[in-house]
Amino acid sequence: MTEQLKQIDQHVVQWLMQMKQEVPKMLADMDLQTKTSRFDLVTNVDKSIEQSFEQLLTAQFPEHQLYGEEAHHDTEKLREGYTWVLDPIDGTANLVKQQDDFCIILALFYNGEPVLSYIYDYPRQKLFQAIKGEGVYLNGTLLSPPPIMALKDSMISFNNKVLNDETMHDLLDASFGYRLIGACGLDSAKVFTGQFGMHIHTNAKPWDIGAQFLFAEMLGLKMTNFHQEPIDFIHGGPFIISNPGCYEQTLEILLQKGGYEK
Ligand code: IPD
Ligand code: CA
Ligand code: CA
């Protein structure tokens, strides 16, 4: 299995490096549209990346399925065989408003289990890569699990619009400080490296968190819903990724005052 994964990985990394060259050109020609509200944005860049990945699968791995944010929502057989989960641009609002802090989130599942994962920070050209049975890498260098960190010593990250005021202040008081990047993949990657103690997304879509399953497993992090239960990769939902040292106290605070909305 590992050899086969390494071969698939080579194609994907090559494709990501091609996107690295092409995305700046796409950005120069960006066309912006709204989806469900004026805050829900999509661009031709998001759609083109997803199309390009679909083409890669058709050419190299025709039996692999694609579950992608922009155009691939059929969920019928996703637990069978190979399934890719793709968010072509996570942080589209950041892309549009700041031209910074956006990434791709890409993950391969085999019979429902995560086996390959990628988060690529386009502007900083940082590739987080996880290969089941092999290792986790940041730009090719092996990444070790972060040290165990207490909540009081950790930076934490959550969307402040969806937590009630009391819960939010309790979390702020219990932690070292607060930062939000605004791209679920990049906020999560800060937990991989120990820069954040945890990240919460109260209503994660499957493509916001597809890659995080394998990174969490291989880096000894906690990734569950807010009741310490596993998250289904096809449905997403309330999500925490956390350093083991921050996890229980965070959930206790989050739940004690009925703290969040979906
Ligand atoms: C968004 C980002 C953001 C999160 C939103 C997501 P998108 O993804 O991950 O951090 O707060 O809920 O929708 O729309 O930019 O792919
Ligand atoms: Ca997203
Ligand atoms: Ca997206």
Side-chain angles (χ1 to χ4, degrees):
M1 181 78 168
T2 308
E3 277 316 304
Q4 198 182 352
L5 289 178
K6 277 159 84 173
Q7 278 178 16
I8 301 173
D9 170 72
Q10 280 178 3
H11 284 281
V12 174
V13 170
Q14 204 175 16
W15 177 80
L16 284 167
M17 293 307 104
Q18 191 189 323
M19 290 303 103
K20 169 177 153 181
Q21 306 294 334
E22 286 179 19
V23 165
K25 295 180 214 154
M26 294 179 197
L27 293 181
D29 221 0
M30 193 164 74
D31 172 28
L32 180 64
Q33 288 157 27
T34 52
K35 294 200 272 190
T36 54
S37 76
R38 76 185 185 92
F39 299 109
D40 190 5
L41 306 175
V42 65
T43 74
N44 55 326
V45 184
D46 306 52
K47 291 177 186 166
S48 305
I49 295 171
E50 189 160 320
Q51 272 166 17
S52 170
F53 189 69
E54 184 182 15
Q55 283 161 10
L56 172 78
L57 293 187
T58 308
Q60 299 293 342
F61 310 108
E63 75 286 8
H64 289 200
Q65 307 179 76
L66 177 57
Y67 188 32
E69 177 174 14
E70 303 309 335
H72 299 88
H73 294 170
D74 186 356
T75 58
E76 207 187 324
K77 293 186 180 156
L78 298 182
R79 278 180 233 283
E80 294 168 27
Y82 287 105
T83 295
W84 290 92
V85 182
L86 170 65
D87 188 342
I89 300 269
D90 180 53
T92 300
N94 289 349
L95 164 65
V96 172
K97 295 293 178 189
Q98 309 185 97
Q99 294 79 54
D100 202 355
D101 292 324
F102 53 96
C103 63
I104 191 169
I105 304 177
L106 178 61
L108 178 64
F109 292 77
Y110 181 68
N111 292 344
E113 294 296 324
V115 290
L116 288 175
S117 280
Y118 308 85
I119 291 178
Y120 183 61
D121 176 338
Y122 292 104
R124 287 174 187 74
Q125 304 190 356
K126 278 164 92 174
L127 175 62
F128 294 87
Q129 174 190 24
I131 306 171
K132 176 111 185 169
E134 180 75 9
V136 177
Y137 304 90
L138 170 53
N139 285 350
T141 301
L142 199 64
L143 201 63
S144 303
I148 305 288
M149 293 150 47
L151 186 57
K152 69 176 180 32
D153 300 322
S154 302
M155 292 282 191
I156 61 170
S157 151
F158 53 81
N159 183 341
N160 54 15
K161 284 193 189 151
V162 291
L163 297 189
N164 72 31
D165 285 357
E166 258 189 306
T167 302
M168 211 165 68
H169 283 105
D170 288 350
L171 279 172
L172 295 179
D173 288 346
S175 68
F176 187 84
Y178 170 79
R179 303 284 184 273
L180 178 72
I181 299 172
C184 189
L186 296 180
D187 280 289
S188 300
K190 292 264 182 192
V191 183
F192 306 166
T193 54
Q195 290 163 292
F196 287 173
M198 61 84 172
H199 174 61
I200 289 172
H201 190 322
T202 60
N203 189 20
K205 301 286 178 291
W207 28 86
D208 293 324
I209 56 172
Q212 286 86 323
F213 289 92
L214 187 59
F215 285 110
E217 184 184 310
M218 295 182 73
L219 291 172
L221 304 169
K222 298 281 190 182
M223 174 172 167
T224 64
N225 69 14
F226 301 153
H227 298 281
Q228 306 200 19
E229 295 158 352
I231 301 170
D232 184 336
F233 86 100
I234 299 177
H235 296 112
F239 153 85
I240 178 171
I241 185 160
S242 177
N243 187 285
C246 301
Y247 177 69
E248 279 173 22
Q249 196 185 350
T250 298
L251 288 183
E252 210 173 287
I253 296 172
L254 193 65
L255 296 176
Q256 76 192 355
K257 292 175 186 160
Y260 67 94
E261 294 163 24
K262 275 194 159 191

Short mmCIF file of all heavy atoms in Angstrom, two decimals, residues 204-226:
data_model
loop_
_atom_site.label_atom_id
_atom_site.label_comp_id
_atom_site.label_asym_id
_atom_site.label_seq_id
_atom_site.Cartn_x
_atom_site.Cartn_y
_atom_site.Cartn_z
N ALA A 204 -18.08 23.02 9.90
CA ALA A 204 -17.13 22.72 8.82
C ALA A 204 -17.78 21.87 7.73
O ALA A 204 -18.48 20.89 8.01
CB ALA A 204 -15.92 21.99 9.40
N LYS A 205 -17.52 22.25 6.50
CA LYS A 205 -17.94 21.42 5.36
C LYS A 205 -16.87 20.34 5.16
O LYS A 205 -15.71 20.54 5.55
CB LYS A 205 -18.05 22.28 4.10
CG LYS A 205 -19.05 23.42 4.25
CD LYS A 205 -20.48 22.90 4.21
CE LYS A 205 -21.52 23.98 4.40
NZ LYS A 205 -21.58 24.58 5.74
N PRO A 206 -17.25 19.22 4.53
CA PRO A 206 -16.26 18.13 4.37
C PRO A 206 -14.94 18.60 3.76
O PRO A 206 -13.86 18.16 4.18
CB PRO A 206 -16.96 17.15 3.43
CG PRO A 206 -18.42 17.47 3.55
CD PRO A 206 -18.55 18.90 3.94
N TRP A 207 -14.99 19.52 2.79
CA TRP A 207 -13.75 19.96 2.11
C TRP A 207 -12.94 20.93 2.97
O TRP A 207 -11.77 21.14 2.71
CB TRP A 207 -14.06 20.59 0.74
CG TRP A 207 -15.40 21.21 0.69
CD1 TRP A 207 -15.74 22.46 1.07
CD2 TRP A 207 -16.61 20.56 0.25
NE1 TRP A 207 -17.08 22.64 0.92
CE2 TRP A 207 -17.64 21.51 0.40
CE3 TRP A 207 -16.92 19.30 -0.26
CZ2 TRP A 207 -18.97 21.22 0.07
CZ3 TRP A 207 -18.24 19.02 -0.59
CH2 TRP A 207 -19.24 19.97 -0.43
N ASP A 208 -13.57 21.54 4.02
CA ASP A 208 -12.79 22.41 4.92
C ASP A 208 -11.83 21.58 5.78
O ASP A 208 -10.84 22.11 6.30
CB ASP A 208 -13.70 23.18 5.88
CG ASP A 208 -14.57 24.22 5.19
OD1 ASP A 208 -14.11 24.84 4.23
OD2 ASP A 208 -15.73 24.40 5.62
N ILE A 209 -12.15 20.29 5.97
CA ILE A 209 -11.41 19.48 6.97
C ILE A 209 -10.93 18.12 6.43
O ILE A 209 -10.46 17.29 7.20
CB ILE A 209 -12.28 19.24 8.22
CG1 ILE A 209 -13.62 18.57 7.85
CG2 ILE A 209 -12.53 20.55 8.96
CD1 ILE A 209 -14.42 18.12 9.08
N GLY A 210 -11.04 17.92 5.11
CA GLY A 210 -10.71 16.60 4.53
C GLY A 210 -9.29 16.18 4.85
O GLY A 210 -9.03 15.02 5.20
N ALA A 211 -8.34 17.12 4.74
CA ALA A 211 -6.93 16.75 4.95
C ALA A 211 -6.58 16.60 6.43
O ALA A 211 -5.61 15.92 6.77
CB ALA A 211 -6.03 17.82 4.33
N GLN A 212 -7.35 17.25 7.29
CA GLN A 212 -6.95 17.32 8.70
C GLN A 212 -7.02 15.96 9.39
O GLN A 212 -6.30 15.72 10.37
CB GLN A 212 -7.81 18.35 9.45
CG GLN A 212 -7.48 19.80 9.12
CD GLN A 212 -8.18 20.36 7.91
OE1 GLN A 212 -8.39 19.66 6.92
NE2 GLN A 212 -8.57 21.62 7.96
N PHE A 213 -7.85 15.03 8.90
CA PHE A 213 -7.97 13.71 9.55
C PHE A 213 -6.62 13.02 9.66
O PHE A 213 -6.22 12.57 10.73
CB PHE A 213 -8.92 12.80 8.75
CG PHE A 213 -10.37 13.20 8.82
CD1 PHE A 213 -10.93 14.04 7.87
CD2 PHE A 213 -11.20 12.71 9.82
CE1 PHE A 213 -12.26 14.39 7.92
CE2 PHE A 213 -12.53 13.05 9.89
CZ PHE A 213 -13.07 13.90 8.92
N LEU A 214 -5.91 12.94 8.54
CA LEU A 214 -4.64 12.19 8.54
C LEU A 214 -3.54 12.94 9.28
O LEU A 214 -2.74 12.34 10.01
CB LEU A 214 -4.22 11.86 7.10
CG LEU A 214 -3.01 10.95 6.95
CD1 LEU A 214 -3.24 9.60 7.61
CD2 LEU A 214 -2.66 10.74 5.46
N PHE A 215 -3.51 14.28 9.10
CA PHE A 215 -2.50 15.05 9.86
C PHE A 215 -2.72 14.85 11.35
O PHE A 215 -1.75 14.66 12.10
CB PHE A 215 -2.59 16.53 9.50
CG PHE A 215 -2.00 16.88 8.15
CD1 PHE A 215 -2.81 17.27 7.10
CD2 PHE A 215 -0.64 16.81 7.93
CE1 PHE A 215 -2.28 17.59 5.86
CE2 PHE A 215 -0.08 17.12 6.70
CZ PHE A 215 -0.91 17.52 5.65
N ALA A 216 -3.98 14.92 11.80
CA ALA A 216 -4.26 14.77 13.23
C ALA A 216 -3.81 13.38 13.70
O ALA A 216 -3.12 13.25 14.72
CB ALA A 216 -5.74 14.98 13.50
N GLU A 217 -4.18 12.36 12.93
CA GLU A 217 -3.82 10.98 13.30
C GLU A 217 -2.29 10.83 13.42
O GLU A 217 -1.78 10.26 14.37
CB GLU A 217 -4.38 10.05 12.22
CG GLU A 217 -4.20 8.58 12.46
CD GLU A 217 -4.72 7.77 11.25
OE1 GLU A 217 -5.86 8.01 10.77
OE2 GLU A 217 -3.97 6.91 10.77
N MET A 218 -1.57 11.36 12.45
CA MET A 218 -0.12 11.11 12.40
C MET A 218 0.68 12.04 13.31
O MET A 218 1.83 11.76 13.62
CB MET A 218 0.37 11.18 10.96
CG MET A 218 -0.24 10.06 10.11
SD MET A 218 0.34 10.04 8.41
CE MET A 218 2.00 9.41 8.59
N LEU A 219 0.06 13.16 13.72
CA LEU A 219 0.79 14.10 14.59
C LEU A 219 0.32 14.03 16.04
O LEU A 219 0.69 14.87 16.87
CB LEU A 219 0.62 15.53 14.06
CG LEU A 219 1.33 15.83 12.74
CD1 LEU A 219 0.95 17.21 12.21
CD2 LEU A 219 2.86 15.74 12.89
N GLY A 220 -0.54 13.04 16.33
CA GLY A 220 -0.98 12.86 17.73
C GLY A 220 -1.90 13.96 18.20
O GLY A 220 -1.93 14.28 19.40
N LEU A 221 -2.65 14.58 17.29
CA LEU A 221 -3.58 15.65 17.67
C LEU A 221 -4.98 15.08 17.84
O LEU A 221 -5.28 13.99 17.34
CB LEU A 221 -3.61 16.73 16.57
CG LEU A 221 -2.24 17.33 16.23
CD1 LEU A 221 -2.34 18.19 14.97
CD2 LEU A 221 -1.72 18.17 17.40
N LYS A 222 -5.83 15.83 18.51
CA LYS A 222 -7.23 15.43 18.67
C LYS A 222 -8.03 16.09 17.56
O LYS A 222 -7.88 17.30 17.31
CB LYS A 222 -7.77 15.92 20.01
CG LYS A 222 -7.05 15.34 21.20
CD LYS A 222 -7.54 13.95 21.46
CE LYS A 222 -7.03 13.41 22.77
NZ LYS A 222 -7.46 12.04 23.00
N MET A 223 -8.89 15.31 16.91
CA MET A 223 -9.81 15.88 15.92
C MET A 223 -11.15 15.17 16.08
O MET A 223 -11.26 13.98 15.78
CB MET A 223 -9.28 15.69 14.51
CG MET A 223 -10.28 16.13 13.45
SD MET A 223 -9.54 16.10 11.81
CE MET A 223 -11.01 16.26 10.80
N THR A 224 -12.14 15.90 16.59
CA THR A 224 -13.47 15.31 16.86
C THR A 224 -14.53 16.39 16.69
O THR A 224 -14.22 17.55 16.42
CB THR A 224 -13.57 14.80 18.32
OG1 THR A 224 -13.46 15.93 19.20
CG2 THR A 224 -12.49 13.78 18.66
N ASN A 225 -15.78 15.99 16.94
CA ASN A 225 -16.82 17.02 17.12
C ASN A 225 -16.73 17.51 18.57
O ASN A 225 -15.80 17.14 19.30
CB ASN A 225 -18.20 16.48 16.72
CG ASN A 225 -18.74 15.42 17.69
OD1 ASN A 225 -18.22 15.25 18.80
ND2 ASN A 225 -19.76 14.71 17.26
N PHE A 226 -17.72 18.31 19.01
CA PHE A 226 -17.57 18.92 20.35
C PHE A 226 -17.99 17.98 21.48
O PHE A 226 -17.97 18.36 22.64
CB PHE A 226 -18.36 20.23 20.41
CG PHE A 226 -17.93 21.25 19.39
CD1 PHE A 226 -18.80 22.21 18.92
CD2 PHE A 226 -16.63 21.23 18.88
CE1 PHE A 226 -18.40 23.14 17.97
CE2 PHE A 226 -16.21 22.15 17.93
CZ PHE A 226 -17.10 23.11 17.47
#
